[in-house]
Amino acid sequence: MKVKGPRSRRWLFVIPLCMAATAHAQATKPGKYAMTTPIPPQITTPAEADTSIGKLTFDDGVPTAETTQRLYDNLDTLRAVEVFLNGIPGASMASIRKGLRDVGAVDSTVGVYETLMDSKSIYLTPNSETIYFWNWMDLKDGPVVVETPPNILGVVDDFWFRYVTDMGNAGPDKGKGGKYLFVPPGYKGDIPDGYFVVRPPTFGNLVFGRAYMEKGDTRPGVASLKKGLRIYPLSKASHPPQTKFINLSGKVMNTVHANNVEFYDEINQIVQEEPAGVYGPDMTGLFASIGMIKGKPFAPDARMKKILVDGAAIGNATARAIDFRGRDPASKIYPDRHWNTPFIGGSYEWLGDGARLFDARTMFFYAATIDTPAMAVAMPGIGSQYAAANLDVSGKPFDGGKAYRLHVAANVPVKDFWSVVVYDTQTRSMLQTDQQFPSLSSERGLKPNADGTTDIYFAPKRPGDAANWIQTIPGKGWFLIFRLYGPLQPWFDKSWSLEDIKPVN
Protein backbone atom coordinates (compact mmCIF):
# COMPACT_ATOMS: atom_id res chain seq x y z
CA MET A 1 0.00 0.00 0.00
CA LYS A 2 1.41 3.37 -0.94
CA VAL A 3 1.05 6.14 1.68
CA LYS A 4 1.16 9.79 0.66
CA GLY A 5 1.70 12.61 3.15
CA PRO A 6 0.86 13.18 6.87
CA ARG A 7 -2.97 13.25 6.42
CA SER A 8 -2.98 9.76 4.96
CA ARG A 9 -0.87 8.49 7.83
CA ARG A 10 -3.37 9.96 10.35
CA TRP A 11 -6.26 8.00 8.76
CA LEU A 12 -4.26 4.81 8.93
CA PHE A 13 -3.87 5.41 12.66
CA VAL A 14 -7.55 6.34 13.30
CA ILE A 15 -9.13 3.40 11.48
CA PRO A 16 -7.58 0.67 13.69
CA LEU A 17 -8.53 2.69 16.78
CA CYS A 18 -12.19 2.85 15.64
CA MET A 19 -12.26 -0.86 14.91
CA ALA A 20 -10.77 -1.66 18.30
CA ALA A 21 -13.26 0.61 20.05
CA THR A 22 -16.17 -1.05 18.26
CA ALA A 23 -14.97 -4.54 19.12
CA HIS A 24 -14.44 -3.50 22.74
CA ALA A 25 -17.96 -2.05 22.93
CA GLN A 26 -19.45 -5.31 21.61
CA ALA A 27 -17.42 -7.49 23.93
CA THR A 28 -17.90 -5.57 27.15
CA LYS A 29 -21.01 -5.59 29.29
CA PRO A 30 -22.91 -2.37 30.00
CA GLY A 31 -21.43 -0.40 32.81
CA LYS A 32 -23.08 0.46 36.09
CA TYR A 33 -25.42 3.39 36.21
CA ALA A 34 -27.33 5.16 38.93
CA MET A 35 -30.34 2.81 38.64
CA THR A 36 -28.41 -0.42 37.93
CA THR A 37 -29.48 -3.43 40.03
CA PRO A 38 -28.46 -7.10 39.94
CA ILE A 39 -30.33 -8.89 37.14
CA PRO A 40 -31.38 -12.52 37.83
CA PRO A 41 -29.65 -14.60 35.15
CA GLN A 42 -32.72 -16.79 34.60
CA ILE A 43 -34.68 -13.89 33.10
CA THR A 44 -32.10 -13.15 30.43
CA THR A 45 -31.43 -14.84 27.08
CA PRO A 46 -27.91 -15.93 26.11
CA ALA A 47 -26.38 -14.92 22.80
CA GLU A 48 -26.64 -18.52 21.58
CA ALA A 49 -28.85 -21.49 22.43
CA ASP A 50 -28.35 -25.00 21.09
CA THR A 51 -31.80 -26.57 20.62
CA SER A 52 -33.52 -29.46 18.87
CA ILE A 53 -34.26 -27.15 15.94
CA GLY A 54 -30.67 -25.94 15.66
CA LYS A 55 -28.57 -23.10 17.04
CA LEU A 56 -30.53 -19.95 17.88
CA THR A 57 -28.68 -16.63 18.00
CA PHE A 58 -29.63 -13.30 19.59
CA ASP A 59 -28.39 -9.71 19.66
CA ASP A 60 -28.78 -8.86 23.34
CA GLY A 61 -32.02 -10.88 23.50
CA VAL A 62 -33.35 -9.93 20.06
CA PRO A 63 -33.52 -12.94 17.67
CA THR A 64 -31.46 -12.54 14.53
CA ALA A 65 -33.32 -12.58 11.21
CA GLU A 66 -32.20 -16.15 10.48
CA THR A 67 -33.25 -17.36 13.94
CA THR A 68 -36.58 -15.57 13.65
CA GLN A 69 -37.41 -17.39 10.42
CA ARG A 70 -36.43 -20.71 11.96
CA LEU A 71 -38.62 -20.05 14.99
CA TYR A 72 -41.67 -19.12 12.92
CA ASP A 73 -41.24 -22.21 10.76
CA ASN A 74 -41.13 -24.28 13.93
CA LEU A 75 -44.13 -22.49 15.45
CA ASP A 76 -46.24 -23.02 12.34
CA THR A 77 -45.22 -26.69 12.24
CA LEU A 78 -46.16 -27.12 15.91
CA ARG A 79 -49.55 -25.58 15.27
CA ALA A 80 -50.10 -27.68 12.16
CA VAL A 81 -49.42 -30.79 14.26
CA GLU A 82 -51.80 -29.61 16.98
CA VAL A 83 -54.50 -28.90 14.41
CA PHE A 84 -54.10 -32.47 13.16
CA LEU A 85 -54.24 -34.05 16.63
CA ASN A 86 -57.16 -31.93 17.83
CA GLY A 87 -58.96 -31.85 14.51
CA ILE A 88 -59.23 -35.61 14.01
CA PRO A 89 -62.85 -35.74 15.29
CA GLY A 90 -63.94 -33.08 12.79
CA ALA A 91 -61.98 -34.50 9.86
CA SER A 92 -63.47 -37.90 10.60
CA MET A 93 -66.98 -36.45 10.57
CA ALA A 94 -66.32 -34.59 7.32
CA SER A 95 -65.24 -37.88 5.74
CA ILE A 96 -68.32 -39.67 7.07
CA ARG A 97 -70.50 -36.93 5.59
CA LYS A 98 -68.81 -37.35 2.22
CA GLY A 99 -69.31 -41.10 2.33
CA LEU A 100 -72.99 -40.74 3.24
CA ARG A 101 -73.53 -38.09 0.58
CA ASP A 102 -71.92 -40.33 -2.02
CA VAL A 103 -74.42 -43.12 -1.31
CA GLY A 104 -77.38 -40.76 -0.74
CA ALA A 105 -77.93 -41.33 3.00
CA VAL A 106 -78.89 -37.71 3.72
CA ASP A 107 -82.02 -35.72 4.62
CA SER A 108 -84.99 -38.15 4.61
CA THR A 109 -82.96 -41.09 3.29
CA VAL A 110 -81.38 -43.52 5.76
CA GLY A 111 -78.61 -45.98 4.98
CA VAL A 112 -79.09 -49.36 6.66
CA TYR A 113 -76.70 -52.31 6.78
CA GLU A 114 -79.53 -54.77 6.29
CA THR A 115 -77.34 -57.87 6.23
CA LEU A 116 -74.66 -56.32 8.48
CA MET A 117 -71.51 -54.41 7.57
CA ASP A 118 -68.63 -56.32 6.03
CA SER A 119 -65.05 -55.33 5.30
CA LYS A 120 -65.82 -53.75 1.92
CA SER A 121 -67.12 -50.62 3.67
CA ILE A 122 -64.26 -48.65 5.18
CA TYR A 123 -65.20 -47.21 8.57
CA LEU A 124 -63.15 -46.73 11.72
CA THR A 125 -63.50 -49.94 13.81
CA PRO A 126 -67.12 -50.81 13.02
CA ASN A 127 -68.73 -54.00 14.26
CA SER A 128 -70.23 -56.75 12.12
CA GLU A 129 -72.82 -57.93 14.63
CA THR A 130 -75.46 -55.22 14.79
CA ILE A 131 -77.67 -53.57 12.19
CA TYR A 132 -76.23 -50.11 11.62
CA PHE A 133 -78.20 -47.16 10.33
CA TRP A 134 -76.61 -43.87 9.24
CA ASN A 135 -77.97 -40.50 8.15
CA TRP A 136 -76.53 -37.01 7.66
CA MET A 137 -78.90 -34.43 9.16
CA ASP A 138 -78.54 -30.80 8.02
CA LEU A 139 -80.40 -28.16 10.05
CA LYS A 140 -79.64 -25.17 7.82
CA ASP A 141 -83.19 -25.13 6.46
CA GLY A 142 -84.81 -25.37 9.90
CA PRO A 143 -85.70 -27.92 12.61
CA VAL A 144 -85.80 -31.63 11.79
CA VAL A 145 -87.94 -34.34 13.36
CA VAL A 146 -86.56 -37.82 14.07
CA GLU A 147 -89.04 -40.51 15.10
CA THR A 148 -87.40 -43.59 16.58
CA PRO A 149 -88.66 -47.18 16.78
CA PRO A 150 -88.45 -49.27 19.96
CA ASN A 151 -85.33 -51.12 21.07
CA ILE A 152 -82.51 -49.32 19.29
CA LEU A 153 -79.31 -47.66 20.43
CA GLY A 154 -79.32 -44.30 18.68
CA VAL A 155 -76.92 -41.38 18.95
CA VAL A 156 -76.64 -37.91 17.44
CA ASP A 157 -73.19 -36.26 17.37
CA ASP A 158 -72.45 -32.77 16.07
CA PHE A 159 -70.06 -31.85 13.24
CA TRP A 160 -67.09 -31.82 15.63
CA PHE A 161 -68.10 -35.31 16.81
CA ARG A 162 -69.32 -34.06 20.17
CA TYR A 163 -72.18 -35.85 21.88
CA VAL A 164 -75.61 -34.28 21.36
CA THR A 165 -78.12 -36.87 22.56
CA ASP A 166 -78.94 -40.54 22.86
CA MET A 167 -82.10 -42.01 21.39
CA GLY A 168 -83.65 -45.37 22.15
CA ASN A 169 -82.55 -47.64 24.99
CA ALA A 170 -80.08 -45.12 26.46
CA GLY A 171 -82.13 -42.05 25.51
CA PRO A 172 -85.06 -40.20 27.09
CA ASP A 173 -87.59 -42.46 25.33
CA LYS A 174 -85.99 -45.41 27.23
CA GLY A 175 -86.25 -47.74 24.28
CA LYS A 176 -89.99 -47.29 23.77
CA GLY A 177 -89.62 -45.07 20.72
CA GLY A 178 -90.23 -41.34 20.60
CA LYS A 179 -90.25 -38.09 18.67
CA TYR A 180 -87.15 -35.89 18.75
CA LEU A 181 -87.01 -32.33 17.45
CA PHE A 182 -83.56 -31.04 16.47
CA VAL A 183 -83.41 -27.25 16.49
CA PRO A 184 -80.62 -25.41 14.61
CA PRO A 185 -78.30 -22.82 16.17
CA GLY A 186 -79.94 -19.40 16.48
CA TYR A 187 -83.46 -20.65 15.70
CA LYS A 188 -86.14 -18.16 16.89
CA GLY A 189 -89.32 -19.92 15.76
CA ASP A 190 -91.98 -21.63 17.84
CA ILE A 191 -91.27 -25.01 19.37
CA PRO A 192 -94.34 -27.30 19.32
CA ASP A 193 -95.20 -29.64 22.18
CA GLY A 194 -94.87 -33.40 22.04
CA TYR A 195 -91.15 -33.71 21.26
CA PHE A 196 -87.89 -34.37 23.02
CA VAL A 197 -86.30 -31.05 22.05
CA VAL A 198 -82.58 -31.09 21.24
CA ARG A 199 -80.43 -28.07 20.32
CA PRO A 200 -77.16 -29.12 18.65
CA PRO A 201 -74.45 -26.44 18.46
CA THR A 202 -73.79 -27.17 14.77
CA PHE A 203 -75.99 -27.31 11.69
CA GLY A 204 -74.46 -30.56 10.44
CA ASN A 205 -75.09 -33.64 12.59
CA LEU A 206 -74.71 -37.39 12.32
CA VAL A 207 -77.71 -39.60 13.09
CA PHE A 208 -76.42 -43.06 13.91
CA GLY A 209 -77.82 -46.15 15.52
CA ARG A 210 -77.95 -49.88 15.95
CA ALA A 211 -80.82 -52.31 15.78
CA TYR A 212 -80.40 -55.91 16.82
CA MET A 213 -80.65 -59.35 15.34
CA GLU A 214 -82.96 -61.98 16.75
CA LYS A 215 -81.29 -65.38 17.01
CA GLY A 216 -78.85 -64.37 14.31
CA ASP A 217 -81.53 -63.04 11.96
CA THR A 218 -81.28 -59.40 10.80
CA ARG A 219 -84.75 -59.25 9.25
CA PRO A 220 -86.79 -58.43 12.39
CA GLY A 221 -84.48 -55.55 13.32
CA VAL A 222 -84.51 -54.15 9.77
CA ALA A 223 -88.29 -54.41 9.62
CA SER A 224 -88.61 -52.53 12.91
CA LEU A 225 -86.36 -49.75 11.60
CA LYS A 226 -88.29 -49.37 8.37
CA LYS A 227 -91.57 -49.32 10.24
CA GLY A 228 -90.67 -46.84 12.97
CA LEU A 229 -87.70 -44.66 11.91
CA ARG A 230 -88.73 -41.36 10.31
CA ILE A 231 -86.67 -38.26 9.51
CA TYR A 232 -88.29 -35.16 8.03
CA PRO A 233 -88.39 -31.34 8.32
CA LEU A 234 -90.63 -29.87 11.03
CA SER A 235 -92.12 -27.65 8.33
CA LYS A 236 -93.63 -30.78 6.76
CA ALA A 237 -94.78 -32.40 10.01
CA SER A 238 -98.47 -32.19 9.05
CA HIS A 239 -97.78 -34.30 5.94
CA PRO A 240 -94.34 -35.90 6.48
CA PRO A 241 -92.52 -37.11 3.38
CA GLN A 242 -91.80 -40.81 3.26
CA THR A 243 -88.45 -41.80 4.76
CA LYS A 244 -86.49 -43.85 2.26
CA PHE A 245 -84.09 -46.64 3.13
CA ILE A 246 -81.09 -47.81 1.11
CA ASN A 247 -79.24 -51.04 1.80
CA LEU A 248 -75.54 -50.38 2.37
CA SER A 249 -74.44 -53.98 3.05
CA GLY A 250 -71.53 -54.87 0.78
CA LYS A 251 -71.22 -51.26 -0.35
CA VAL A 252 -67.71 -50.16 -1.33
CA MET A 253 -67.28 -46.79 0.35
CA ASN A 254 -64.79 -44.83 2.45
CA THR A 255 -65.54 -42.76 5.55
CA VAL A 256 -62.02 -42.49 7.00
CA HIS A 257 -60.26 -39.11 7.09
CA ALA A 258 -57.07 -38.29 5.20
CA ASN A 259 -53.67 -38.74 6.86
CA ASN A 260 -51.88 -36.35 4.52
CA VAL A 261 -52.16 -32.63 3.75
CA GLU A 262 -55.74 -33.14 2.51
CA PHE A 263 -56.68 -33.47 6.18
CA TYR A 264 -56.62 -29.67 6.58
CA ASP A 265 -59.13 -29.20 3.77
CA GLU A 266 -61.49 -31.56 5.59
CA ILE A 267 -61.23 -29.40 8.72
CA ASN A 268 -61.70 -26.18 6.77
CA GLN A 269 -65.06 -27.42 5.48
CA ILE A 270 -66.42 -27.27 9.02
CA VAL A 271 -64.75 -23.94 9.83
CA GLN A 272 -66.47 -22.37 6.82
CA GLU A 273 -69.90 -23.97 7.23
CA GLU A 274 -70.54 -23.79 10.95
CA PRO A 275 -71.03 -20.82 13.31
CA ALA A 276 -67.78 -19.00 14.09
CA GLY A 277 -66.13 -20.24 17.25
CA VAL A 278 -68.47 -23.21 17.73
CA TYR A 279 -65.50 -25.46 18.60
CA GLY A 280 -64.42 -23.00 21.31
CA PRO A 281 -62.12 -19.98 21.08
CA ASP A 282 -58.91 -21.89 21.70
CA MET A 283 -59.48 -24.47 18.97
CA THR A 284 -60.86 -21.81 16.62
CA GLY A 285 -57.72 -19.75 17.25
CA LEU A 286 -55.53 -22.75 16.58
CA PHE A 287 -57.21 -23.30 13.21
CA ALA A 288 -56.92 -19.58 12.41
CA SER A 289 -53.19 -19.65 13.21
CA ILE A 290 -52.55 -21.79 10.12
CA GLY A 291 -54.98 -19.90 7.88
CA MET A 292 -58.42 -21.42 8.49
CA ILE A 293 -60.68 -18.43 9.13
CA LYS A 294 -64.42 -18.41 8.56
CA GLY A 295 -65.38 -16.39 5.51
CA LYS A 296 -61.85 -16.32 4.08
CA PRO A 297 -60.18 -18.62 1.55
CA PHE A 298 -57.82 -21.22 2.96
CA ALA A 299 -54.94 -20.58 0.58
CA PRO A 300 -51.54 -21.45 2.07
CA ASP A 301 -48.53 -20.19 0.13
CA ALA A 302 -45.65 -22.44 -0.95
CA ARG A 303 -43.87 -22.11 2.40
CA MET A 304 -47.00 -22.91 4.39
CA LYS A 305 -47.94 -25.83 2.13
CA LYS A 306 -44.56 -27.39 2.85
CA ILE A 307 -45.12 -26.90 6.57
CA LEU A 308 -48.63 -28.41 6.38
CA VAL A 309 -47.28 -31.48 4.59
CA ASP A 310 -44.76 -31.87 7.41
CA GLY A 311 -47.37 -31.16 10.09
CA ALA A 312 -49.73 -33.81 8.72
CA ALA A 313 -46.94 -36.40 8.58
CA ILE A 314 -45.84 -35.67 12.15
CA GLY A 315 -49.42 -35.44 13.41
CA ASN A 316 -50.40 -38.74 11.82
CA ALA A 317 -47.31 -40.46 13.19
CA THR A 318 -47.98 -39.05 16.66
CA ALA A 319 -51.60 -40.18 16.57
CA ARG A 320 -50.44 -43.68 15.65
CA ALA A 321 -47.99 -43.71 18.57
CA ILE A 322 -50.74 -42.61 20.95
CA ASP A 323 -53.16 -45.17 19.54
CA PHE A 324 -51.00 -48.26 19.11
CA ARG A 325 -48.33 -47.72 21.77
CA GLY A 326 -50.03 -45.46 24.29
CA ARG A 327 -48.09 -44.33 27.35
CA ASP A 328 -50.99 -43.36 29.62
CA PRO A 329 -51.38 -46.00 32.37
CA ALA A 330 -55.06 -45.02 32.61
CA SER A 331 -55.66 -46.58 29.19
CA LYS A 332 -54.96 -50.05 30.58
CA ILE A 333 -57.99 -52.04 31.69
CA TYR A 334 -55.66 -54.35 33.66
CA PRO A 335 -52.27 -53.07 34.87
CA ASP A 336 -50.43 -56.27 33.91
CA ARG A 337 -52.02 -56.93 30.48
CA HIS A 338 -52.37 -55.39 27.03
CA TRP A 339 -56.08 -54.58 26.93
CA ASN A 340 -56.95 -50.90 26.55
CA THR A 341 -60.10 -48.88 27.05
CA PRO A 342 -61.01 -46.35 24.36
CA PHE A 343 -62.56 -44.06 26.99
CA ILE A 344 -59.76 -43.07 29.35
CA GLY A 345 -61.20 -41.86 32.64
CA GLY A 346 -64.67 -43.07 31.71
CA SER A 347 -65.49 -39.66 30.25
CA TYR A 348 -67.22 -39.19 26.90
CA GLU A 349 -65.90 -35.61 27.00
CA TRP A 350 -62.34 -36.76 27.71
CA LEU A 351 -62.17 -34.77 30.93
CA GLY A 352 -60.26 -35.55 34.09
CA ASP A 353 -60.06 -33.30 37.16
CA GLY A 354 -61.22 -30.37 35.08
CA ALA A 355 -58.60 -30.90 32.36
CA ARG A 356 -59.12 -31.94 28.76
CA LEU A 357 -57.35 -35.25 28.13
CA PHE A 358 -56.05 -34.40 24.67
CA ASP A 359 -54.15 -37.63 24.04
CA ALA A 360 -57.14 -39.68 25.22
CA ARG A 361 -59.38 -37.90 22.73
CA THR A 362 -56.84 -38.40 19.94
CA MET A 363 -56.50 -42.08 20.82
CA PHE A 364 -60.25 -42.63 20.57
CA PHE A 365 -61.03 -40.71 17.41
CA TYR A 366 -58.02 -41.92 15.43
CA ALA A 367 -59.40 -45.44 15.70
CA ALA A 368 -63.12 -45.05 16.40
CA THR A 369 -66.28 -43.05 15.89
CA ILE A 370 -69.51 -42.25 17.79
CA ASP A 371 -69.38 -40.40 21.06
CA THR A 372 -71.95 -41.21 23.73
CA PRO A 373 -71.99 -41.72 27.51
CA ALA A 374 -73.62 -45.11 26.84
CA MET A 375 -70.20 -46.35 25.68
CA ALA A 376 -68.04 -44.49 28.21
CA VAL A 377 -69.91 -44.56 31.50
CA ALA A 378 -70.45 -47.70 33.56
CA MET A 379 -74.10 -48.57 32.90
CA PRO A 380 -74.55 -52.28 33.75
CA GLY A 381 -76.98 -53.96 31.38
CA ILE A 382 -77.18 -50.94 29.04
CA GLY A 383 -75.10 -49.91 26.04
CA SER A 384 -71.78 -51.54 25.26
CA GLN A 385 -68.19 -51.71 26.48
CA TYR A 386 -64.97 -52.14 24.54
CA ALA A 387 -61.51 -53.61 25.08
CA ALA A 388 -58.84 -53.18 22.40
CA ALA A 389 -55.72 -55.33 22.02
CA ASN A 390 -52.90 -53.84 19.93
CA LEU A 391 -50.11 -56.04 21.32
CA ASP A 392 -49.66 -59.68 22.26
CA VAL A 393 -48.72 -61.08 25.67
CA SER A 394 -45.08 -60.08 25.09
CA GLY A 395 -45.93 -56.52 24.10
CA LYS A 396 -45.27 -57.09 20.40
CA PRO A 397 -47.55 -56.00 17.52
CA PHE A 398 -49.55 -58.78 15.92
CA ASP A 399 -47.89 -60.35 12.87
CA GLY A 400 -50.40 -61.38 10.20
CA GLY A 401 -48.15 -64.28 9.18
CA LYS A 402 -48.19 -65.92 12.61
CA ALA A 403 -50.83 -67.75 14.65
CA TYR A 404 -52.30 -66.49 17.93
CA ARG A 405 -54.93 -67.63 20.41
CA LEU A 406 -57.35 -65.72 22.64
CA HIS A 407 -58.69 -67.85 25.49
CA VAL A 408 -61.95 -66.40 26.83
CA ALA A 409 -63.11 -67.44 30.28
CA ALA A 410 -66.58 -68.90 30.73
CA ASN A 411 -69.60 -66.83 31.67
CA VAL A 412 -68.75 -63.65 29.80
CA PRO A 413 -70.68 -60.97 31.75
CA VAL A 414 -73.18 -59.77 29.15
CA LYS A 415 -76.94 -59.42 29.10
CA ASP A 416 -77.02 -59.64 25.30
CA PHE A 417 -73.90 -61.01 23.58
CA TRP A 418 -70.16 -60.50 23.03
CA SER A 419 -67.93 -60.40 19.95
CA VAL A 420 -64.39 -60.13 18.59
CA VAL A 421 -63.58 -58.15 15.42
CA VAL A 422 -60.16 -57.91 13.73
CA TYR A 423 -58.97 -54.67 12.10
CA ASP A 424 -56.27 -53.48 9.70
CA THR A 425 -53.62 -51.33 11.40
CA GLN A 426 -53.43 -49.07 8.34
CA THR A 427 -57.10 -48.31 7.72
CA ARG A 428 -58.35 -49.09 11.26
CA SER A 429 -61.27 -50.66 9.42
CA MET A 430 -62.18 -54.35 9.22
CA LEU A 431 -59.38 -56.53 7.89
CA GLN A 432 -60.12 -57.49 4.28
CA THR A 433 -59.46 -61.22 3.82
CA ASP A 434 -61.28 -64.15 2.20
CA GLN A 435 -63.75 -64.06 5.09
CA GLN A 436 -66.65 -61.66 4.57
CA PHE A 437 -66.71 -60.86 8.28
CA PRO A 438 -63.35 -60.86 10.13
CA SER A 439 -65.20 -61.52 13.34
CA LEU A 440 -66.97 -63.98 15.62
CA SER A 441 -69.71 -63.45 18.17
CA SER A 442 -71.60 -65.43 20.78
CA GLU A 443 -74.73 -64.70 18.76
CA ARG A 444 -73.38 -65.90 15.43
CA GLY A 445 -70.88 -68.62 14.57
CA LEU A 446 -68.95 -68.96 17.83
CA LYS A 447 -68.40 -72.44 19.29
CA PRO A 448 -67.49 -72.68 23.00
CA ASN A 449 -65.47 -75.43 24.61
CA ALA A 450 -67.13 -78.11 26.75
CA ASP A 451 -66.27 -76.20 29.95
CA GLY A 452 -67.87 -72.97 28.71
CA THR A 453 -64.58 -71.29 27.83
CA THR A 454 -63.86 -70.23 24.26
CA ASP A 455 -60.68 -70.35 22.17
CA ILE A 456 -60.38 -68.05 19.16
CA TYR A 457 -57.46 -68.42 16.74
CA PHE A 458 -55.98 -65.75 14.47
CA ALA A 459 -53.78 -66.98 11.62
CA PRO A 460 -53.44 -66.98 7.81
CA LYS A 461 -54.81 -70.54 7.73
CA ARG A 462 -57.05 -72.40 10.15
CA PRO A 463 -54.78 -74.05 12.75
CA GLY A 464 -55.59 -77.77 12.75
CA ASP A 465 -59.18 -78.39 13.75
CA ALA A 466 -59.68 -75.01 15.47
CA ALA A 467 -63.42 -74.42 15.86
CA ASN A 468 -63.12 -70.60 15.96
CA TRP A 469 -60.77 -68.96 13.48
CA ILE A 470 -60.36 -65.45 12.06
CA GLN A 471 -58.10 -65.13 9.04
CA THR A 472 -55.09 -62.80 9.00
CA ILE A 473 -52.71 -61.80 6.18
CA PRO A 474 -48.93 -62.39 6.06
CA GLY A 475 -47.09 -59.09 5.91
CA LYS A 476 -50.02 -57.11 7.35
CA GLY A 477 -50.52 -56.01 10.93
CA TRP A 478 -53.81 -56.28 12.79
CA PHE A 479 -55.48 -55.51 16.09
CA LEU A 480 -58.81 -56.46 17.62
CA ILE A 481 -61.65 -55.17 19.74
CA PHE A 482 -63.55 -57.30 22.23
CA ARG A 483 -67.10 -55.96 22.64
CA LEU A 484 -69.65 -56.59 25.35
CA TYR A 485 -73.28 -55.74 24.59
CA GLY A 486 -75.30 -55.17 27.74
CA PRO A 487 -72.19 -55.50 29.96
CA LEU A 488 -72.85 -56.69 33.51
CA GLN A 489 -71.25 -55.82 36.85
CA PRO A 490 -68.43 -58.44 36.76
CA TRP A 491 -66.98 -56.60 33.77
CA PHE A 492 -66.87 -53.31 35.64
CA ASP A 493 -65.54 -54.66 38.94
CA LYS A 494 -63.09 -56.93 37.05
CA SER A 495 -64.19 -60.09 38.85
CA TRP A 496 -64.27 -61.45 35.28
CA SER A 497 -61.30 -60.56 33.07
CA LEU A 498 -59.64 -61.12 29.71
CA GLU A 499 -56.36 -62.93 29.20
CA ASP A 500 -53.66 -61.58 26.89
CA ILE A 501 -53.48 -62.97 23.35
CA LYS A 502 -50.65 -65.47 22.95
CA PRO A 503 -48.67 -66.75 19.95
CA VAL A 504 -49.12 -70.45 19.21
CA ASN A 505 -47.21 -72.91 17.01
Side-chain angles (χ1 to χ4, degrees):
M1 178 178 177
K2 189 174 182 180
V3 178
K4 296 181 180 179
R7 181 173 296 180
S8 298
R9 293 191 187 96
R10 277 202 304 272
W11 278 113
L12 286 174
F13 179 73
V14 170
I15 289 171
L17 282 178
C18 292
M19 293 174 64
T22 302
H24 179 73
Q26 291 177 342
T28 58
K29 296 180 180 179
K32 289 187 177 181
Y33 295 85
M35 298 300 293
T36 299
T37 63
I39 302 299
Q42 69 270 23
I43 73 171
T44 65
T45 299
E48 294 183 353
D50 290 317
T51 73
S52 61
I53 62 170
K55 180 176 286 188
L56 307 179
T57 56
F58 303 85
D59 292 328
D60 197 19
V62 179
T64 62
E66 180 183 0
T67 288
T68 298
Q69 187 60 58
R70 178 175 293 172
L71 290 169
Y72 278 129
D73 288 347
N74 180 63
L75 179 61
D76 289 342
T77 302
L78 291 174
R79 285 177 170 162
V81 171
E82 284 298 320
V83 167
F84 190 100
L85 295 175
N86 289 288
I88 289 172
S92 182
M93 192 64 96
S95 297
I96 289 173
R97 180 178 71 166
K98 183 181 185 304
L100 296 180
R101 281 179 167 176
D102 288 346
V103 298
V106 298
D107 302 326
S108 292
T109 300
V110 179
V112 181
Y113 283 87
E114 296 187 15
T115 53
L116 306 178
M117 183 187 291
D118 63 29
S119 60
K120 286 185 177 180
S121 298
I122 300 177
Y123 286 77
L124 290 175
T125 56
N127 75 60
S128 56
E129 288 73 53
T130 59
I131 304 159
Y132 281 134
F133 63 88
W134 300 77
N135 169 268
W136 186 257
M137 178 173 62
D138 194 332
L139 303 177
K140 284 186 176 153
D141 293 329
V144 171
V145 176
V146 178
E147 298 182 18
T148 61
N151 192 32
I152 64 164
L153 274 178
V155 182
V156 174
D157 287 336
D158 78 1
F159 213 154
W160 288 110
F161 241 133
R162 295 172 298 188
Y163 169 72
V164 174
T165 189
D166 286 302
M167 302 182 294
N169 298 350
D173 66 280
K174 301 187 184 303
K176 298 177 182 179
K179 288 186 175 184
Y180 292 78
L181 181 62
F182 292 89
V183 181
Y187 181 72
K188 304 296 184 182
D190 294 333
I191 303 296
D193 296 330
Y195 297 93
F196 298 110
V197 178
V198 185
R199 298 179 181 273
T202 59
F203 292 102
N205 297 272
L206 175 66
V207 179
F208 163 87
R210 299 191 297 237
Y212 296 100
M213 294 188 288
E214 293 183 11
K215 297 180 180 180
D217 188 355
T218 63
R219 288 173 295 181
V222 172
S224 177
L225 279 177
K226 292 184 175 181
K227 179 181 178 181
L229 182 60
R230 298 286 181 268
I231 302 177
Y232 53 86
L234 176 64
S235 61
K236 298 181 180 180
S238 58
H239 296 90
Q242 181 181 2
T243 297
K244 298 177 182 178
F245 296 89
I246 53 176
N247 184 8
L248 297 182
S249 292
K251 193 76 173 177
V252 177
M253 58 186 293
N254 175 53
T255 66
V256 176
H257 64 81
N259 283 333
N260 59 15
V261 72
E262 295 174 24
F263 176 95
Y264 300 104
D265 293 317
E266 294 169 342
I267 292 295
N268 189 53
Q269 292 176 41
I270 316 176
V271 172
Q272 300 304 326
E273 294 180 27
E274 295 296 343
V278 73
Y279 201 23
D282 292 335
M283 289 298 102
T284 302
L286 191 61
F287 300 145
S289 72
I290 63 167
M292 299 180 195
I293 301 171
K294 184 174 176 64
K296 295 184 179 181
F298 177 50
D301 58 18
R303 169 189 167 274
M304 197 63 195
K305 283 180 181 177
K306 183 178 179 181
I307 285 172
L308 293 177
V309 168
D310 197 32
I314 297 170
N316 175 57
T318 304
R320 286 185 171 272
I322 292 170
D323 201 67
F324 291 109
R325 293 186 179 273
R327 63 182 180 179
D328 188 344
S331 68
K332 288 185 173 291
I333 296 174
Y334 316 106
D336 59 342
R337 303 175 206 177
H338 297 95
W339 289 98
N340 299 325
T341 174
F343 286 98
I344 293 177
S347 169
Y348 70 93
E349 296 177 296
W350 290 273
L351 293 174
D353 296 325
R356 184 78 66 194
L357 306 178
F358 291 112
D359 289 357
R361 184 172 65 185
T362 296
M363 184 187 76
F364 177 85
F365 281 108
Y366 192 75
T369 60
I370 310 305
D371 183 18
T372 168
M375 293 196 300
V377 180
M379 301 169 66
I382 299 175
S384 49
Q385 288 286 303
Y386 305 80
N390 301 320
L391 307 171
D392 70 10
V393 66
S394 300
K396 297 178 181 179
F398 296 111
D399 182 340
K402 297 181 179 179
Y404 299 83
R405 183 186 70 170
L406 169 62
H407 182 71
V408 182
N411 303 313
V412 179
V414 290
K415 179 171 69 71
D416 302 317
F417 65 97
W418 61 273
S419 74
V420 170
V421 185
V422 171
Y423 300 98
D424 184 327
T425 51
Q426 282 283 1
T427 65
R428 292 93 72 209
S429 189
M430 282 190 267
L431 188 65
Q432 295 179 331
T433 66
D434 293 327
Q435 295 174 323
Q436 182 182 9
F437 303 107
S439 61
L440 289 166
S441 83
S442 61
E443 192 177 47
R444 180 172 55 90
L446 199 60
K447 299 176 182 178
N449 301 322
D451 61 357
T453 63
T454 305
D455 289 312
I456 303 175
Y457 291 85
F458 311 89
K461 297 181 180 179
R462 186 186 296 271
D465 59 353
N468 305 303
W469 166 61
I470 299 177
Q471 186 179 15
T472 59
I473 302 173
K476 172 153 283 301
W478 59 271
F479 66 102
L480 68 79
I481 295 180
F482 188 99
R483 288 175 169 87
L484 302 92
Y485 295 92
L488 300 176
Q489 188 58 34
W491 169 256
F492 296 105
D493 63 23
K494 297 183 176 59
S495 57
W496 184 95
S497 62
L498 286 164
E499 297 181 12
D500 269 333
I501 300 171
K502 300 176 181 177
V504 295
N505 293 325

